[in-house]
Amino acid sequence: MGYSTGVRTSVTPARRSAEIRAALGRLLGPDAVGPPTASYLTDATEHRGVKGSADAVALPASTQEVASAVAWCYEHGVAIVPRGGGTGFAAGAVPDGGVVVSLERMTRVRAFDPLLWRICVEAGLSTGEVRRLARENGLLFPPDPGAAEQSQIGGNIATNAGGPHAFKYGATGAWVTGLEAVVPPGEIIELGGAIRKDVAGYDLKGLLIGSEGTLGVITAAWLKLLPAPEATLPVVGFFAGAEAGCRAIEGVLGAGLAVAALEYLDAGALAAAGATFPGGIPAEAAFMVLGEADGSKAEAEGLQRELVEALGVDALDVRAPEPRHEVEELWRWRDGVSIAVEGRRGGKVSEDIVVPLDRLREAVEETTAIGERHRLEACSWGHAGDGNLHSTFLVAPDDGAQLERARAAAEELFELAVRLGGSISGEHGIGWLKRGQLCRQWAPRALELHDAVKRAFDPKGLLNPGKKAAAI
Ligand SMILES: Cc1cc2nc3c(=O)[nH]c(=O)nc-3n(C[C@H](O)[C@H](O)[C@H](O)COP(=O)(O)OP(=O)(O)OC[C@H]3O[C@@H](n4cnc5c(N)ncnc54)[C@H](O)[C@@H]3O)c2cc1C
């Protein structure tokens, strides 16, 4: 990681950083600008050894302040790194010099119309808070990425985050009807709003969704909500292996069961997280499928029964918890799978490839085989219905040789995803770690268009430089 901030190259880096902080401090107030503390230099990839550097951290409290900071940076050739909750798995928010613009002070709810199923929030509000507000008013904000208490709506939009319930409800972008953003050279734009349809102009809102801070700083969003389903009833099936488990997953779709979530864990993920599964797992279980039925109470109960039947065909055991506390306990456990897997060796290199559903079994089995070829323990789990795997290689974080082998294993994994007709990233994005990998799956002309979009928004290349880059 290394590029120039462009400010007075004749002075020492420390002096230049101090000048940047002083100038931004005059614009935003001294309390809103400081030197970067360690937590702003990493994200959820810290255990992979990714750590950045920055000249300053700016904490704007309003869209106008974001615009002032971006305008100053743009004029002075200083990089701008938008930051949400820092839970990203692609090092997208890890700075490589320049100014970290953290949205953490922008947490206002600007408008909330429960009777019209919509809310407008500032980008720094946590995902968990948006979901809570909706729930307390009988509504549902469906996107449920795993680190909801830390991640921010702005970060979710910038990564187009998914989660278990994306299977039925779609990823974050599907719930965004309007965006306010600051784009170079420091202008505020509004795209869409409290409207549920909008086909005027090219889909600039769509370009900002999933842009990983490389096209603009998202400052607020209008979000659609839904009446909350009356009941959510999960079903868990345990299987002897990936073949039976993946057959069951296809069986759920084949039977026409419109479940809300359809998740899986392979043998390695069960070995890491199974010990804490509520009620324990069968000794011979080497694959688990977790589905959830939702709807009115009658609908959910009917669907749950059908799900038990569909998963039961080849299962070692099928369970259908119903009491509220058991359902909550199950999802809390599911949220902890990533951390349990990491805990096995202290570190992990975890990717988020996506493949067509009928290639899921191959991708699961190949993940283990790739690990074996690189002498690494490997496992996968993820959003089975979406064909989205968290293919993971376990490492001891201070073992450089293991980390190196895990990186090589990840390269093979990306090749596999593309060979199976999939993509190198289903939900975490490209960030810094997967920069340059897009050429594996896109034609040269598509890559040119990708770069042209970046140049159109950010001609000086100062917004989150190096991230989501099609080529390096
Ligand atoms: C335990 C755990 C479980 C997870 N589970 C899931 C999951 O199920 N599904 C999933 O998709 N992800 C998951 N993630 C990854 C992560 O939570 C998501 O990518 C999330 O959307 C990141 O949000 P954040 O606010 O933390 O963003 P950050 O990590 O701060 O930033 C991510 C990217 O977005 C950009 N960005 C952030 N805020 C803004 C803004 N306001 N304007 C413009 N750009 C911005 C940053 O520059 C960076 O490129 C998980 C992470 C953890 C640690």
Side-chain angles (χ1 to χ4, degrees):
M1 294 185 116
Y3 54 79
S4 157
T5 61
V7 167
R8 292 226 301 159
T9 46
S10 55
V11 298
T12 64
R15 177 92 196 116
R16 200 164 59 239
S17 298
E19 285 183 6
I20 291 171
R21 289 198 292 271
L24 288 175
R26 282 192 292 279
L27 283 174
L28 309 187
D31 292 349
V33 181
T37 50
S39 60
Y40 291 102
L41 302 178
T42 55
D43 65 1
T45 60
E46 188 175 8
H47 58 269
R48 290 176 69 164
V50 185
K51 188 166 183 226
S53 63
D55 297 288
V57 174
L59 308 174
S62 68
T63 302
Q64 194 49 59
E65 287 188 359
V66 174
S68 302
V70 170
W72 186 90
C73 289
Y74 222 71
E75 188 186 333
H76 293 86
V78 175
I80 302 141
V81 183
R83 185 178 181 89
T87 67
F89 275 135
V94 178
D96 189 10
V99 175
V100 174
V101 175
S102 171
L103 280 293
E104 68 197 57
R105 285 189 177 172
M106 292 189 57
T107 57
R108 276 191 321 129
V109 176
R110 291 190 182 172
F112 186 16
D113 306 306
L115 298 180
L116 297 173
W117 308 355
R118 70 187 189 201
I119 191 167
C120 180
V121 300
E122 290 186 338
L125 198 64
S126 76
T127 321
E129 192 54 30
V130 174
R131 285 173 59 82
R132 252 190 308 281
L133 275 170
R135 199 167 47 239
E136 284 163 10
N137 287 274
L139 296 167
L140 175 72
F141 177 61
D144 58 345
E149 293 309 321
Q150 271 171 275
S151 70
Q152 299 175 0
I153 282 298
N156 296 160
I157 296 170
T159 54
N160 198 6
H165 290 82
F167 178 58
K168 177 172 177 182
Y169 294 104
T172 303
W175 298 90
V176 178
T177 64
L179 277 185
E180 178 192 84
V182 173
V183 294
E187 306 283 335
I188 301 167
I189 57 169
E190 282 176 38
L191 304 163
I195 48 176
R196 295 175 72 89
K197 285 172 130 182
D198 183 9
V199 293
Y202 294 129
D203 188 4
L204 299 187
K205 171 170 69 72
L207 284 175
L208 281 166
I209 294 168
S211 63
E212 301 182 56
T214 62
L215 303 182
V217 184
I218 295 160
T219 48
W222 275 101
L223 306 170
K224 277 194 294 193
L225 305 168
L226 268 185
E230 188 184 2
T232 52
L233 297 173
V235 177
V236 179
F238 295 99
F239 299 86
E243 193 180 337
C246 290
R247 213 170 32 242
I249 290 163
E250 288 192 38
V252 171
L253 270 77
L257 307 184
V259 293
L262 195 53
E263 302 279 294
Y264 85 95
L265 272 80
D266 81 347
L270 276 178
T276 54
F277 183 80
I281 64 170
E284 329 78 84
F287 199 90
M288 182 185 130
V289 178
L290 161 59
E292 186 175 80
D294 72 357
S296 70
K297 193 160 180 297
E299 279 164 357
E301 283 171 355
L303 192 52
Q304 189 190 37
R305 273 194 300 276
E306 290 181 284
L307 195 50
V308 167
E309 214 173 290
L311 291 183
V313 177
D314 268 338
L316 300 168
D317 190 15
V318 179
R319 298 184 201 160
E322 283 193 23
R324 191 76 246 144
H325 71 274
E326 284 187 20
V327 172
E328 283 170 7
E329 204 184 349
L330 175 63
W331 281 110
R332 255 197 313 280
W333 172 82
R334 169 61 188 87
D335 275 353
V337 168
S338 175
I339 288 164
V341 169
E342 188 174 323
R344 208 162 156 85
R345 300 227 164 203
K348 63 178 168 44
V349 168
S350 192
E351 302 298 348
D352 68 317
I353 60 167
V354 59
V355 297
L357 187 55
D358 51 329
R359 312 305 293 269
L360 181 65
R361 181 182 63 81
E362 271 168 279
V364 170
E365 291 174 349
E366 270 298 309
T367 296
T368 320
I370 291 172
E372 277 165 14
R373 282 199 287 282
H374 292 269
R375 290 178 289 120
L376 294 166
E377 195 182 333
C379 67
S380 69
W381 71 96
H383 314 305
D386 288 328
N388 188 188
L389 299 85
H390 296 315
S391 294
T392 300
F393 306 104
L394 305 183
V395 295
D398 47 4
D399 185 331
Q402 257 184 27
L403 263 174
E404 210 35 66
R405 294 208 300 279
R407 280 189 205 114
E411 294 277 323
E412 259 194 67
L413 193 70
F414 298 144
E415 250 173 62
L416 170 76
V418 176
R419 178 157 50 80
L420 296 181
S423 168
I424 57 173
S425 179
E427 57 177 13
H428 296 159
I430 299 296
W432 174 260
L433 289 176
K434 278 172 267 181
R435 68 196 188 285
Q437 297 282 352
L438 200 53
C439 57
R440 288 182 190 274
Q441 67 189 62
W442 278 14
R445 181 65 186 133
L447 296 171
E448 265 174 36
L449 290 170
H450 190 271
D451 287 349
V453 169
K454 168 71 174 167
R455 281 195 304 277
F457 273 82
D458 177 17
K460 291 187 183 175
L462 289 171
L463 261 171
N464 217 357
K467 312 291 172 52
K468 212 176 178 72
I472 43 174

